[in-house]
Amino acid sequence: MSEQVSWVPEGLDTGMPSAARLYDYLLGGGHNFAADRMLGEKFLRAQPNARTIARLNRAFLRRAVLFMMDNGIRQFLDLGSGIPTVGNVHEIAQKADPEARVVYVDFEEVAVAHSQLILEGDPRAEIVQEDMTKPDAVLKAARETGLLDFTQPVGVLTVGVFHFVPPEADPSAILAAYRDAVPRGSYLAFSQFTQDLQPEEMAGIVEVMKKSQNPMFPRTMSEVEGLFGGFELVEPGIVPLPLWRPEGTNTDDPDKAGIYAAVGRKV
């Protein structure tokens, strides 16, 4: 039976778990349903460190946005932005510069509906409901918001989402389309699960997610590096989440981070 809550879009099948709501659950959010929580518990059995990994991924997003802000970026395209939670891109960016602009992109109905609620009254941030694996449609919708000036550098964010893009979808071509749409001096922030770190746990996660609408495709370091064509990796390159420009005392074990993170600059 479907759960009925005020923020649930009409007609949504709440019995079918989604990656966006699973991530919300792992982060301790409240925009998830019984099916998502059941999947989340299986995910946690496969990878007991999953809540820490979700937190580390969110922290990387913050550091990447602030790094881009320090390097002159004032507009962001957040692909697969998910369900808004504490520390959204527009909050991070607009705290540093109130004029910063953000276009969020997601296809999941709850993510879009909740984003629309949060962004009401903010003229510098908007959500578009599109599939990030279809760059032409995403870029058209992003341009139509009027928020992004594609003659000026853009911060493109693909944080914790590309492990849902299967090899047959040609992830390199997808990222190349976004790269070609932005000028030199733009940045790409990227993070995704890898089998290089905790391979046994990663294999368990892949098995769990096969039973969801969002199967996962971990990638090796060399595969991640191959996605950065046309971008120059900034220091420290492709590293486990807690090792990407950490702030303060860093006590998280990089070998248990599960995810590689990197930022590149279009040259």
Side-chain angles (χ1 to χ4, degrees):
M1 190 174 75
S2 291
E3 295 176 52
Q4 292 303 315
V5 191
S6 60
W7 45 264
V8 180
E10 189 176 344
L12 178 74
D13 180 5
T14 61
M16 175 65 76
S18 83
R21 299 194 302 268
L22 168 64
Y23 190 48
D24 178 70
Y25 174 67
L26 292 175
L27 284 168
H31 290 80
N32 50 74
F33 306 112
D36 306 304
R37 295 188 284 275
M38 284 177 62
L39 182 66
E41 289 306 313
K42 291 177 183 175
F43 198 100
L44 283 162
R45 284 196 290 275
Q47 171 49 281
N49 204 39
R51 291 192 187 278
T52 297
I53 293 171
R55 173 182 59 79
L56 291 174
N57 196 54
R58 199 72 186 169
F60 163 69
L61 172 67
R62 175 183 173 275
R63 297 197 304 277
V65 168
L66 291 176
F67 169 81
M68 293 182 190
M69 296 286 291
D70 287 344
N71 285 275
I73 300 296
R74 291 297 180 270
Q75 50 180 0
F76 297 88
L77 180 64
D78 187 359
L79 302 171
S81 51
I83 294 170
T85 184
V86 176
N88 296 299
V89 175
H90 70 284
E91 294 170 341
I92 299 163
Q94 290 174 1
K95 186 175 181 181
D97 183 345
E99 299 296 313
R101 304 177 307 284
V102 181
V103 172
Y104 293 103
V105 179
D106 210 294
F107 198 63
E108 205 276 333
E109 293 94 333
V110 171
V112 173
H114 195 47
S115 295
Q116 288 170 338
L117 284 174
I118 280 187
L119 298 176
E120 275 181 12
D122 188 335
R124 295 182 179 84
E126 194 167 323
I127 175 88
V128 296
Q129 186 167 10
E130 293 290 349
D131 183 341
M132 69 171 186
T133 66
K134 298 176 180 175
D136 289 347
V138 169
L139 291 164
K140 180 176 183 289
R143 288 188 178 98
E144 287 173 353
T145 67
L147 288 177
L148 303 183
D149 177 359
F150 284 90
T151 69
Q152 298 297 314
V154 178
V156 180
L157 308 169
T158 59
V159 177
V161 291
F162 252 72
H163 40 240
F164 299 116
V165 180
E168 58 267 27
D170 199 348
S172 292
I174 292 168
L175 283 174
Y178 290 112
R179 177 201 65 212
D180 292 346
V182 298
R184 289 182 180 181
S186 295
Y187 286 87
L188 169 68
F190 180 97
S191 69
Q192 84 140 76
F193 272 103
T194 177
Q195 62 269 54
D196 293 351
L197 305 170
Q198 294 192 294
E200 190 175 322
E201 288 85 347
M202 191 66 249
I205 289 174
V206 168
E207 200 57 39
V208 166
M209 296 304 287
K210 278 180 183 175
K211 301 174 181 68
S212 78
Q213 59 182 317
N214 303 108
M216 289 180 71
F217 305 89
R219 292 184 171 90
T220 64
M221 180 178 286
S222 62
E223 287 173 323
V224 171
E225 190 173 8
L227 299 177
F228 275 86
F231 291 94
E232 187 177 77
L233 287 168
V234 304
E235 290 295 331
I238 301 166
V239 293
L241 284 169
L243 298 184
W244 197 89
R245 296 178 178 257
E247 298 172 329
T249 305
N250 179 23
T251 58
D252 292 295
D253 184 351
D255 292 333
K256 294 182 179 178
I259 290 180
Y260 279 140
V263 173
R265 183 177 184 271
K266 182 175 177 179
V267 292

